[in-house]
Amino acid sequence: MSSQNADAVTFSDLSRNPRAVAERAARLGRVRITHRDAPDFYLTAADREDQRGQTLATASRLFLAFLKHDPTARTLVIAMPDVFPWVRHLTSDELRSFTLELVEALSDAAELEVDATAQEVIAGWRATARIKADPTRYAQARKPTSGDFGAVEVTA
């Protein structure tokens, strides 16, 4: 089997020797399957994936419990700059909103298996911080607009 690193094999390796790849995945916990013409994927044991899901659910429930006992999310808000240094460009209200949205998205990931939402929340707030970090761009973004900018394409 060829591999790019210790925990990766090619799709061809998987096709040629599935038993060896499965044994490697069982031994390592998971193996990345690289594919030249498609996104990579992981081969992992179902019980390991179940444990990861339970861990995410536990963390999510812990964050939700923090919010239940402290609706201002003070503890989480204080920790956010350690995790996301760019939040220094957000106002206090924006930081609180980001924190609440992120906890809700993590809950959705844990309880509903909706994984993309958390990354979308982070990307959206990072984009806001990026604009606010550049005073020229931020001033330009805050200027009133006029006219019709055309149809908006919505993709689902």
Side-chain angles (χ1 to χ4, degrees), residues 51-138:
Q51 289 173 347
R52 289 172 64 93
Q54 290 170 358
T55 299
L56 177 60
T58 300
S60 168
R61 289 177 185 142
L62 181 63
F63 291 141
L64 287 171
F66 281 150
L67 293 179
K68 179 181 176 185
H69 295 286
D70 179 11
T72 65
R74 186 180 182 313
T75 304
L76 293 176
V77 168
I78 290 169
M80 291 296 277
D82 292 336
V83 180
F84 305 104
W86 45 262
V87 299
R88 69 183 178 276
H89 299 289
L90 302 178
T91 66
S92 296
D93 286 341
E94 289 169 335
L95 178 55
R96 191 172 296 103
S97 293
F98 170 42
T99 303
L100 295 174
E101 282 183 47
L102 182 58
V103 169
E104 290 170 349
L106 291 172
S107 176
D108 288 348
E111 304 297 335
L112 303 174
E113 297 182 12
V114 179
D115 295 322
T117 307
Q119 295 308 311
E120 290 171 3
V121 168
I122 294 167
W125 281 104
R126 182 182 293 130
T128 299
R130 184 178 298 121
I131 287 288
K132 294 182 87 174
D134 182 339
T136 304
R137 288 177 65 194
Y138 185 55

Side-chain angles (χ1 to χ4, degrees), residues 9-19 21-22 33 41 43:
V9 298
T10 66
F11 188 78
S12 298
D13 291 334
L14 176 61
S15 298
R16 283 192 297 263
N17 200 346
R19 179 174 294 201
V21 173
I33 309 296
F41 63 93
L43 178 63

